[in-house]
Amino acid sequence: MENFESWKDLLNPEFYIQMGGFWLILFIVFAETGLFIGFFLPGDSLLFVSGIYAVEIIKETFGSTGSDLLDTTILATSVAIAAIIGNEIGYWFGRKAGPALYKREDSFLFKKKYLFQAHDFFEEHGALAVIMARFLPIVRTFTPIVAGIVKMDKTRFLIDNIIGAFLWSFSLIFAGHYLDALFKTQFDIDLKSHLEMIIIIIVLITTVPIIAKFFFGKKKEEVNDEIDTHG
């Protein structure tokens, strides 16, 4: 997997780990909210698979510390920092130029509907949306912008941003690392040999809430519209 072979590689977390390792992982995490282009790239699955490769990633980048825990912590902390910086840039952009996005035409990298979804999510969950959005693909890309647009308090946003980034990074990376170790010792199963299935499971877990909200939310809106019409 050393060379790009097809567009499917872009959806495979292992591709990025093999191609760019530590620094590419950080860039993707940063780009998802800092450059608003990462929503189509693997996010949660990238972190989980990075956790499986944590020791190798840190060893190739800085040299091994000799401790699995420390190597994994370095990776998770670095990812969290990249996520925090990305969110802060998204928030700043929202405060400065966010309203103009509602008038912007759709493109391959930008879909206005995602902005509206993030806005609805933010309105429903308030300040906690910044933390919760970290675990929801697409929504996490646009929530910082919405927070900036509605001029959420800077300090409050920063605190929630830090909490969400560390919870997201540490939970997924440590889960990947220690579940891999657990399956090896207890069941003699190497998760690296089952990455495709793992990625599918993670994608389903993270996207089902969004899909459910889209369909049920749409039905709810239709019911409310019908009530308003006949009311």
Side-chain angles (χ1 to χ4, degrees), residues 14-231:
E14 194 176 16
F15 170 74
Y16 298 100
I17 294 172
Q18 299 293 340
M19 285 292 291
F22 180 81
W23 300 111
L24 184 55
I25 292 169
L26 296 192
F27 176 75
I28 291 173
V29 170
F30 163 78
E32 190 169 24
T33 53
L35 301 180
F36 330 125
I37 60 173
F39 60 85
F40 61 88
L41 296 173
D44 302 300
S45 57
L46 175 63
L47 265 60
F48 187 89
V49 176
S50 294
I52 296 177
Y53 284 95
V55 174
E56 292 95 322
I57 291 172
I58 296 302
K59 181 179 180 180
E60 292 178 2
T61 308
F62 306 107
S64 177
T65 65
S67 168
D68 282 17
L69 175 61
L70 185 55
D71 286 342
T72 307
T73 300
I74 291 173
L75 178 61
T77 301
S78 300
V79 167
I81 292 173
I84 292 169
I85 295 173
N87 258 18
E88 288 297 320
I89 291 178
Y91 173 83
W92 174 83
F93 184 83
R95 287 184 70 95
K96 297 295 182 181
L101 289 176
Y102 287 101
K103 300 177 182 179
R104 180 176 174 179
E105 296 295 326
D106 283 353
S107 65
F108 175 72
L109 296 177
F110 176 80
K111 302 296 181 183
K112 194 183 299 182
K113 66 179 181 179
Y114 297 149
L115 187 62
F116 284 113
Q117 288 173 4
H119 183 274
D120 293 342
F121 183 80
F122 191 88
E123 287 294 314
E124 181 177 348
H125 299 286
L128 279 177
V130 178
I131 298 176
M132 298 171 62
R134 266 295 165 200
F135 296 86
L136 297 174
I138 300 177
V139 174
R140 64 170 162 258
T141 300
F142 294 95
T143 294
I145 302 175
V146 172
I149 293 174
V150 301
K151 299 190 184 304
M152 178 180 178
D153 180 73
K154 295 178 182 179
T155 302
R156 181 70 259 175
F157 177 81
L158 177 60
I159 293 173
D160 290 344
N161 182 19
I162 293 173
I163 293 173
F166 273 90
L167 283 176
W168 179 60
S169 174
F170 272 73
S171 62
L172 287 172
I173 289 178
F174 271 79
H177 181 75
Y178 285 103
L179 281 177
D180 180 48
L182 176 66
F183 273 76
K184 281 180 181 177
T185 56
Q186 298 297 322
F187 308 106
D188 195 27
I189 297 175
D190 187 353
L191 293 187
K192 293 176 184 175
S193 302
H194 303 277
L195 289 181
E196 289 188 5
M197 180 60 66
I198 292 172
I199 293 168
I200 291 173
I201 292 173
I202 293 175
V203 169
L204 288 175
I205 291 175
T206 56
T207 56
V208 164
I210 297 176
I211 295 173
K213 181 171 178 60
F214 175 78
F215 284 104
F216 288 108
K218 192 172 183 180
K219 289 181 180 179
K220 186 176 179 181
E221 288 178 3
E222 292 175 352
V223 171
N224 290 337
D225 290 341
E226 188 174 339
I227 292 175
D228 292 338
T229 302
H230 297 285

